[in-house]
Amino acid sequence: QVQLVESGGGLVQPGGSLRLSCAASGRTFSRYNMAWFRQAPGKERTIVAAITWNGANTYYVGSVKGRFTISRDNAKNMVYLQMNSLKPEDTAIYYCALDRDPGVLYTTPGEYDDWGQGTQVTVSS
């Protein structure tokens, strides 16, 4: 099992930026597709962005396109989410997730096998 640890969350004003990081244990990290999900209070957990094992393909939910960027560094076992132009509706707990199937880039939580503990992002003035 791969362990995932998120960091980088916090309180930011609207229009501000944050960079989330996800550190993964395990030697086979580079084989797996990765994703960021978020969950606001009283709402379901939904996809934010996903990236294939080699970084060649990415997916973004429409509401974050042009504002967020997902990236990975397989040499460091890290995945990142750069979040710019943050809005109050981006407030949520953000989770890093790993999919052991190296094929399709999935966007639903049920397809992901390992999860971090989450990091809180609050966008408020």
Side-chain angles (χ1 to χ4, degrees):
Q1 185 174 1
V2 177
Q3 290 188 328
L4 304 172
V5 179
E6 302 97 334
S7 61
L11 173 64
V12 63
Q13 292 186 342
S17 298
L18 282 175
R19 187 194 195 204
L20 304 184
S21 299
C22 174
S25 65
R27 295 176 296 173
T28 57
F29 168 80
S30 61
R31 300 179 184 177
Y32 304 132
N33 296 343
M34 300 292 296
W36 287 95
F37 287 80
R38 65 185 178 188
Q39 187 168 18
K43 295 189 177 181
E44 294 184 348
R45 190 172 300 188
T46 58
I47 188 81
V48 177
I51 188 167
T52 52
W53 62 275
N54 59 358
N57 294 299
T58 57
Y59 167 87
Y60 296 94
V61 68
S63 59
V64 308
K65 282 183 180 178
R67 300 190 297 125
F68 291 11
T69 302
I70 188 171
S71 62
R72 66 189 296 162
D73 185 339
N74 286 342
K76 295 182 179 180
N77 280 15
M78 297 291 293
V79 177
Y80 306 99
L81 185 68
Q82 178 66 45
M83 306 186 294
N84 299 329
S85 303
L86 282 161
K87 304 176 180 180
E89 50 263 43
D90 294 318
T91 295
I93 299 174
Y94 283 70
Y95 297 90
C96 176
L98 178 148
D99 176 17
R100 295 177 183 273
D101 181 352
V104 176
L105 193 58
Y106 292 108
T107 61
T108 54
E111 299 293 344
Y112 286 79
D113 302 289
D114 299 287
W115 294 83
Q117 81 290 349
T119 185
Q120 176 70 48
V121 172
T122 303
V123 185
S124 175
S125 55

